[in-house]
Amino acid sequence: MNMKSSNNLWWAKRLIDVLLYTIIIWIVIFLFLYDSAVVYDISMQPTLNADSGVVDTDIVYYNKLRKYTRGDIIIVQCEDEMIIKRVVALGGDKVRYVYENEVYKLYINDQLVDENYVKEDITLPSLSNAKNAVQYIDPTDDTGYNPLGMLKSNQSENFDSEGNYIVPEDQVFVLGDNRLHSTDSKTKGGYDRSCVVGVVEMIITSEDNMVAKLLELVF
């Protein structure tokens, strides 16, 4: 073997070593930063889908170290409960629903929120005809209903004179995108920040379920 061939072989081995070490490092980083969760209900439709006989189950990967902000989808785990919801408001924020043009619209800190990710608008018929309509009854609202009706009854001390829910400083206010089919801060109020375990950064949809299964086996 001549000197040139020997040098080429040496560089090829070096390149392979670098690629292998790089892959190993990225796998270690991934395992350290990320964990996965299975979407188990319809509360985050249409963003996330669960197996309901029509669609397959989505899988999410969440960053365990990233700081969340409004609009992020997060994983909240308190005791034995784990939920996947969207951050709507942070500690100190004011939250209220206002009935305008036949739709209950969400306001945060007196600013209308453009919620283009929700499955459907919340209307008076959808509240009053819901299976759990009793939790939306609100005698203080002109319509007699409000998405925060139960919350006003149970945590009146956290509401101001204008009907805003003031999120406690050590909590986060979360909602499912499928609002009327989600158990969340509408009725329970804020969740402790200490219960937030990660921010969703990767969604493996039902169309990519084979990739999801492979990732689950590997990681």
Side-chain angles (χ1 to χ4, degrees), residues 110-128:
D110 300 319
Q111 297 294 318
L112 177 64
V113 181
D114 180 14
E115 297 192 287
N116 55 12
Y117 42 75
V118 298
K119 184 172 184 179
E120 57 187 348
D121 291 333
I122 301 178
T123 63
L124 180 56
S126 65
L127 283 187
S128 58

Side-chain angles (χ1 to χ4, degrees), residues 13-14 21 63 69 72 86 93 102 113 115 144 147 178:
K13 290 181 177 179
R14 292 282 295 179
Y21 282 123
N63 189 322
T69 188
D72 283 337
R86 190 180 297 275
D93 285 344
E102 300 185 344
V113 181
E115 297 192 287
N178 191 3

Side-chain angles (χ1 to χ4, degrees), residues 50-154:
D51 186 3
S52 62
V54 179
V55 293
D56 293 326
T57 300
D58 291 350
I59 294 176
V60 298
Y61 282 84
Y62 57 93
N63 189 322
K64 295 181 286 188
L65 299 182
R66 181 182 145 193
K67 185 177 180 180
Y68 59 84
T69 188
R70 298 181 192 88
D72 283 337
I73 298 174
I74 62 173
I75 308 293
V76 179
Q77 186 168 16
C78 293
E79 299 178 350
D80 295 331
E81 179 186 29
M82 175 181 278
I83 61 174
I84 306 175
K85 306 295 178 185
R86 190 180 297 275
V87 177
V88 169
L90 307 174
D93 285 344
K94 300 187 299 183
V95 182
R96 79 173 186 271
Y97 273 98
V98 179
Y99 192 65
E100 298 176 345
N101 299 321
E102 300 185 344
V103 173
Y104 289 94
K105 297 183 179 180
L106 180 66
Y107 280 77
I108 305 295
N109 298 326
D110 300 319
Q111 297 294 318
L112 177 64
V113 181
D114 180 14
E115 297 192 287
N116 55 12
Y117 42 75
V118 298
K119 184 172 184 179
E120 57 187 348
D121 291 333
I122 301 178
T123 63
L124 180 56
S126 65
L127 283 187
S128 58
N129 295 324
K131 291 182 179 179
N132 50 358
V134 64
Q135 71 182 4
Y136 303 124
I137 294 175
D138 180 9
T140 68
D141 195 288
D142 291 340
T143 67
Y145 289 87
N146 191 285
L148 305 182
M150 178 177 285
L151 195 58
K152 287 185 181 181
S153 298
N154 296 338

Side-chain angles (χ1 to χ4, degrees), residues 3-31:
M3 184 64 67
K4 184 176 180 180
S5 297
S6 179
N7 285 338
N8 289 340
L9 182 59
W10 184 86
W11 278 110
K13 290 181 177 179
R14 292 282 295 179
L15 178 60
I16 292 173
D17 287 342
V18 170
L19 289 175
L20 286 175
Y21 282 123
T22 300
I23 292 171
I24 291 172
I25 290 171
W26 276 109
I27 290 176
V28 171
I29 292 174
F30 187 90
L31 292 174

